[in-house]
Amino acid sequence: MLVRLAAEGATGALLRDHGTLYLVDGDVVHAESPAAPGMDVLLTAGGRLPREGWDEAVDRAGAHRAVGRFLMDSGRMPRGELEICHLCAVFDAAFFALSPTSGPTRFRYGVGHWFGTVRPVPAAAVERETARRRELLASAWPYASVDTAPVVPRPAPEGRAVGARKRALLDAADGRRTPTELARLLGRPAFHTLLDVRRLAAAGFVETPPATTPHSPPPASPAPLPPVADPDIALLRRLRDALEAHP
């Protein structure tokens, strides 16, 4: 349906079980999912914007579907930084919204989101990025049970250490919070948190719950993994290149 809507240049909201994509003239301009922190969390919990600045933008521009435009025009967020943050949020929520589901998919023509349009993304690019992320998760650690279970740290394997980003995640893991809850707490995209948790589980820093599929128990002693580029840095580089290539 997303391909068809993009081809016809549709404007409206594509509703699925795990989230919603908002289209304008066939391009994706916003996405949201219960599993992914929204722009408010990414900007305020992440320390990029004071909470009162966000609330003012919503109060003054939400009814006009121009919150993003207000943040830029008022000088609260530089355009380039807001575009990158918003693209991160769009790809993050779209990953969950486009996940396989047996529920219905509906499209409501003419429906827009109060955040407004910052930088449209071709629907094909959103689909490609979603597929790439699924493959990345599977290659990092093929046990999806860690995605929804509470994150339970293990004693650090001898001779291994983690960087500051993953250390902050481990410090926040209390054995009760799931990866998506940790993402909201830390003000980080949910997908990047899932990927960090899978990599930590593969390296032996996090417990892997019993596998949900039969005959597929997780290894008792995960093998060391080679260093991998931080997902935030890799994504920001791709976003920067895309912005520079399409002024």
Side-chain angles (χ1 to χ4, degrees):
M1 182 180 287
L2 180 59
V3 172
R4 177 176 61 79
L5 292 168
E8 72 179 52
T11 294
L14 179 65
L15 292 83
R16 307 192 78 233
D17 279 356
H18 304 299
T20 303
L21 300 183
Y22 294 86
L23 280 65
V24 171
D25 297 331
D27 289 334
V28 178
V29 297
H30 196 72
E32 59 185 10
S33 168
M39 280 292 290
D40 59 332
V41 175
L42 295 179
L43 292 178
T44 60
R48 294 181 176 91
L49 183 71
R51 184 74 208 191
E52 56 269 20
W54 172 264
D55 292 340
E56 181 187 7
V58 173
D59 290 342
R60 296 182 60 178
H64 305 290
R65 298 181 184 173
V67 171
R69 171 62 60 183
F70 179 87
L71 290 172
M72 293 184 290
D73 291 348
S74 64
R76 284 165 175 76
M77 291 285 296
R79 180 181 183 87
E81 183 179 0
L82 184 65
E83 286 184 351
I84 289 176
C85 290
H86 187 244
L87 286 171
C88 286
V90 167
F91 284 123
D92 194 39
F95 172 78
F96 298 98
L98 295 178
S99 61
T101 177
S102 58
T105 297
R106 304 176 301 279
F107 188 74
R108 294 181 180 175
Y109 284 91
V111 174
H113 193 273
W114 49 262
F115 189 81
T117 299
V118 174
R119 187 163 189 110
V121 183
V126 173
E127 285 195 311
R128 285 195 304 269
E129 178 64 13
T130 297
R132 188 192 71 85
R133 291 182 177 209
R134 290 196 191 108
E135 294 173 358
L136 190 57
L137 281 180
S139 65
W141 190 237
Y143 301 99
S145 55
V146 300
D147 294 348
T148 54
V151 179
V152 180
R154 298 177 61 185
E158 185 176 355
R160 300 187 197 174
V162 296
R165 175 187 172 85
K166 292 186 176 69
R167 172 49 55 193
L169 179 59
L170 287 173
D171 290 344
D174 58 1
R176 297 187 299 273
R177 297 187 181 102
T178 64
T180 54
E181 290 171 335
L182 289 170
R184 294 182 188 279
L185 176 69
L186 298 172
R188 299 178 180 179
F191 168 79
H192 294 162
T193 305
L194 292 183
L195 185 58
D196 281 343
V197 169
R198 288 213 192 193
R199 287 173 173 167
L200 286 167
F205 287 89
V206 165
E207 295 284 353
T208 298
T212 56
T213 55
H215 313 302
S216 300
S221 301
L225 295 182
V228 183
D230 187 286
D232 273 344
I233 299 301
L235 176 62
L236 290 178
R237 286 174 178 162
R238 290 196 303 277
L239 294 178
R240 178 201 62 193
D241 294 341
L243 292 174
E244 292 176 349
H246 301 284

